[in-house]
Amino acid sequence: MKVIFAGTPEFAAVALQSLIEAGFDIPLVLTQPDRPAGRGMQLHASAVKQLAQRHGIEVLQPLSLRQDSKDPQRAAEAGDAHARLLATDYDVMVVAAYGLILPRATLDIRPCINIHGSLLPRWRGAAPIHRAIEAGDDETGITIMRMEEGLDTGPMLAVERLNIAAGDSTGTLHDKLAALGGRMIVAALRKMEQGALEAVPQPEAGVTYAAKISKDEAALDFSLPALELGLKIRAFNPFPGATAQLDGATVKLWAAEALEADSAAAPGQVLAADAQHGIVVACGAGALRLIELQKPGGKRLPAAEFIKGCTIDGARFS
């Protein structure tokens, strides 16, 4: 089979690597334009582009695929991309975390199938891994689906479930799901080659939407229950990183443990800060033991190391 691949971040690069290793013919890769990143804000290629270039695969980076865009440059690039797709000999387009909407004109050229990081119809949308952890879900998985114009509404071609471990962050769960998606897309395409890939409509019940993560969500409100805050810290690791204010500085909180505790202290008040207990903070319900923290410009540190560099007895996180 000849496969056009569309994707951008590391999650997608894992799938592309799996397709390359499985021997699929990949004549073209679509990925988002290079973006400024790092302290120098220099342009950086996506993980997918870097991988494609290492394997000598042609890369296309349109700003948009919508030819009806009101932006002349985007519309022109979309027209060029559409013409390039029409001129390419391929059997299927595989999409994984591409980040651009595929319009009807693209979907109609050849079958398009998507690797989605949730058990659809739960967590349709941009941030299914973050939202599954934030919500306290016990499991998630990968759904291979046929794409249509709706947001992750297409029929399911393959589903595999994966337990969410108590210590999973978005980072660790991302890596597990990326590997699972890579294995599943190869198996799905093998079945497609044999004409044995069946489509099943998504259930109408249980639809939820995984809104894109905003940096504004990173600031923690300690009046919330400790259990909820612990889930947010896991969900926002590694991006955008949960934050709290301590003595006027923004501290990042990378790992924590919810405790059952009764305290009359105000939310955010430090209840303990020593090598034995770590840093325990009062919450709206229960308390939160902070396990890993980071000062501005510093390294991530275990709580026992963090408290060596500052005095936080009686301090308050806000």
Side-chain angles (χ1 to χ4, degrees):
M1 293 185 75
K2 293 183 178 180
V3 181
I4 286 182
F5 186 86
T8 300
E10 185 61 33
F11 181 89
V14 173
L16 177 58
Q17 181 67 44
S18 296
L19 294 175
I20 292 170
E21 292 176 356
F24 287 99
D25 183 356
I26 304 172
L28 181 67
V29 159
L30 302 180
T31 191
Q32 289 208 39
D34 298 357
R35 305 292 188 193
R39 292 185 177 180
M41 296 302 287
Q42 295 182 347
L43 289 178
H44 284 261
S46 71
V48 163
K49 178 180 178 179
Q50 294 178 49
L51 177 60
Q53 289 182 327
R54 288 199 298 270
H55 288 272
I57 302 171
E58 181 184 352
V59 176
L60 200 61
Q61 297 178 271
L63 289 168
S64 172
L65 292 175
R66 300 186 66 93
Q67 299 177 73
D68 59 354
S69 173
K70 294 181 180 179
D71 183 322
Q73 181 181 357
R74 290 175 180 268
E77 289 197 15
D80 292 342
H82 184 71
R84 183 69 183 84
L85 292 174
L86 289 173
T88 301
D89 179 19
Y90 71 102
D91 301 295
V92 62
M93 178 184 288
V94 171
V95 182
Y98 180 27
L100 293 183
I101 295 174
L102 269 61
R104 167 61 62 186
T106 302
L107 297 174
D108 284 346
I109 299 173
R110 295 286 188 277
C112 297
I113 61 178
N114 178 245
I115 308 169
H116 187 76
S118 81
L119 300 173
L120 291 171
R122 186 160 178 79
W123 303 127
R124 294 173 177 172
I129 303 175
H130 294 80
R131 298 306 181 189
I133 291 181
E134 184 184 20
D137 289 1
D138 293 325
E139 65 174 3
T140 184
I142 290 288
T143 303
I144 307 293
M145 55 167 283
R146 191 172 70 217
M147 297 186 71
E148 55 183 33
E149 284 188 288
L151 178 63
D152 299 326
T153 57
M156 302 180 295
L157 305 171
V159 178
E160 287 197 30
R161 314 180 90 85
L162 181 71
N163 290 332
I164 300 177
D168 268 331
S169 65
T170 288
T172 60
L173 189 57
H174 165 281
D175 292 349
K176 295 176 186 179
L177 289 172
L180 178 59
R183 294 194 299 271
M184 288 178 65
I185 192 60
V186 169
L189 292 183
R190 295 298 188 214
K191 285 188 176 181
M192 179 178 284
E193 285 179 313
Q194 300 163 6
L197 193 60
E198 297 182 0
V200 178
Q202 292 186 34
E204 294 183 3
V207 175
T208 56
Y209 291 94
K212 185 178 180 180
I213 297 296
S214 165
K215 289 185 178 180
D216 295 338
E217 299 179 66
L220 297 184
D221 177 0
F222 283 90
S223 67
L224 296 174
L227 282 172
E228 186 173 338
L229 291 172
L231 291 171
K232 287 181 180 293
I233 290 171
R234 289 167 54 199
F236 298 158
N237 179 0
F239 176 84
T243 64
Q245 295 294 311
L246 180 66
D247 291 333
T250 300
V251 176
K252 288 208 169 187
L253 311 178
W254 294 112
E257 174 189 11
L259 306 175
E260 292 184 5
D262 292 324
S263 173
Q269 186 70 44
V270 175
L271 303 176
D274 54 53
Q276 179 182 357
H277 300 95
I279 302 172
V280 181
V281 183
C283 301
L288 199 63
R289 186 195 310 278
L290 303 181
I291 296 172
E292 188 179 31
L293 306 88
Q294 183 179 12
K295 297 176 184 178
K299 298 179 180 180
R300 295 189 185 193
L301 295 173
E305 294 296 318
F306 183 88
I307 60 179
K308 290 180 180 179
C310 59
T311 302
I312 63 173
D313 286 330
R316 183 177 177 186
F317 285 90
S318 63

